[in-house]
């Protein structure tokens, strides 16, 4: 085997592609965030609006960097961000995310643990809107677009799904007010569900929409913490109290048992549909 073939095999080995993808996209996103923040500091725009503009800029930069990197690297069209069916995938994803989060809060409400303290000015939705957009687009681009998609080509859908879900949950254990149980919950709620959403549609718009709707509804509408983080302003200021198993405690409703249950049901449905439609990729040793 000549040296050129060896280099090509190493360059296109899944782990190599994952590492290069994360490094290149991560560096571009980080650099872009620094530059846009410095640029916005020279303006007199409202602080929340600056954050929103910066967040949208970085989110768009994540999509652009991913698209051009893998178009060049893998010599293919980037169908993950295809415009075909984008409206349908975004709308269904938004509805699904809102429903899942609303069911989670409904359980807390029915057990007497949720109450509204005040309804705030409409502009209070800007911070959670910013957080929702940036987290959904950047995390889905990196996790489902790189960490899940690339290993799936060799390891198959199910193994790659478990690996990417484990990594997603493990990284969130370091979040404020987090715990091992919260990390396991997020591995199922986001790691499995959003991976299954990608498998079913084979594009990133669907999981991005679910991710955004889940976070935005949780913070902006219901006034709850998101993955242990408190948003400075929300449309509704609420009080959530009760046993941690159904409220999630300071970590937020994502740490509750019902959030994991509802998201697991949605995951199973998406995987069953994907299996029926032949969208599950088998590991290379079973092909």
């Amino acid at each position: 085997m000549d040296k050129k073939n060896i280099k090509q095999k190493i360059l296109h080995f899944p782990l190599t592609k994952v590492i290069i993808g994360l490094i290149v996209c991560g560096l571009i996103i980080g650099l872009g965030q620094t530059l846009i923040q410095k640029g916005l500091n020279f303006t007199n725009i409202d602080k929340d609006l600056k954050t929103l503009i910066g967040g949208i800029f970085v989110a768009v930069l994540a999509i652009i960097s991913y698209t051009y990197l893998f178009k060049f690297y893998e010599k293919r069209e980037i169908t993950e961000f295809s415009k075909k069916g984008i409206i349908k995938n975004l709308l269904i994803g938004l509805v699904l995310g809102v429903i899942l989060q609303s069911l989670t809060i409904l359980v807390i409400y029915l057990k007497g643990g949720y109450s509204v303290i005040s309804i705030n000015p409409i502009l209070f939705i800007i911070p959670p809107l910013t957080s929702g957009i940036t987290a959904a687009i950047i995390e889905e681009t990196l996790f489902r677009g790189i960490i899940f998609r690339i290993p799936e080509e060799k390891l198959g859908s199910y193994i790659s799904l478990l690996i990417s879900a484990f990594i997603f949950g493990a990284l969130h254990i370091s979040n404020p007010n987090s715990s091992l149980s919260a990390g396991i919950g997020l591995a199922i709620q986001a790691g499995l569900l959003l991976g299954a959403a990608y498998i079913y549609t084979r594009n990133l718009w669907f999981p991005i929409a679910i991710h955004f709707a889940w976070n935005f509804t949780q913070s902006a509408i219901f006034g709850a913490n998101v993955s242990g983080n408190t948003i400075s302003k929300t449309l509704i200021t609420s009080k959530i109290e009760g046993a941690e198993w159904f409220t999630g405690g300071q970590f937020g409703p994502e740490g509750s048992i019902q959030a994991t249950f509802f998201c697991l049901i949605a995951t199973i449905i998406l995987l069953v549909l994907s299996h029926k439609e032949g969208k599950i990729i088998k590991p290379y040793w079973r092909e």
Side-chain angles (χ1 to χ4, degrees), residues 238-266:
S238 64
K239 183 178 181 181
I240 298 177
E241 54 188 352
E244 192 168 316
W245 70 268
F246 76 90
T247 64
Q250 290 301 308
F251 187 74
E254 289 167 319
S256 67
I257 188 68
Q258 71 270 17
T260 301
F261 174 76
F262 291 134
C263 290
L264 182 58
I265 294 298

Side-chain angles (χ1 to χ4, degrees), residues 102-151:
S102 298
L103 288 173
T104 299
I105 297 296
L106 179 61
V107 172
I108 300 174
Y109 174 77
L110 292 175
K111 293 185 71 64
Y114 181 87
S115 58
V116 175
I117 296 176
S118 65
I119 298 177
N120 304 311
I122 189 66
L123 289 179
F124 274 40
I125 70 168
I126 292 180
L129 179 65
T130 303
S131 176
I133 291 173
T134 53
I137 293 179
I138 293 175
E139 289 185 18
E140 293 314 302
T141 300
L142 299 180
F143 275 94
R144 259 52 68 177
I146 298 176
I147 295 175
F148 169 74
R149 178 186 64 81
I150 295 173

Side-chain angles (χ1 to χ4, degrees), residues 11-12 16-17 20-21 68-75:
L11 184 62
H12 291 279
T16 306
K17 288 168 67 175
I20 290 176
Y68 279 93
L69 170 64
F70 286 104
K71 187 174 183 179
F72 170 77
Y73 198 167
E74 300 177 329
K75 301 293 188 296

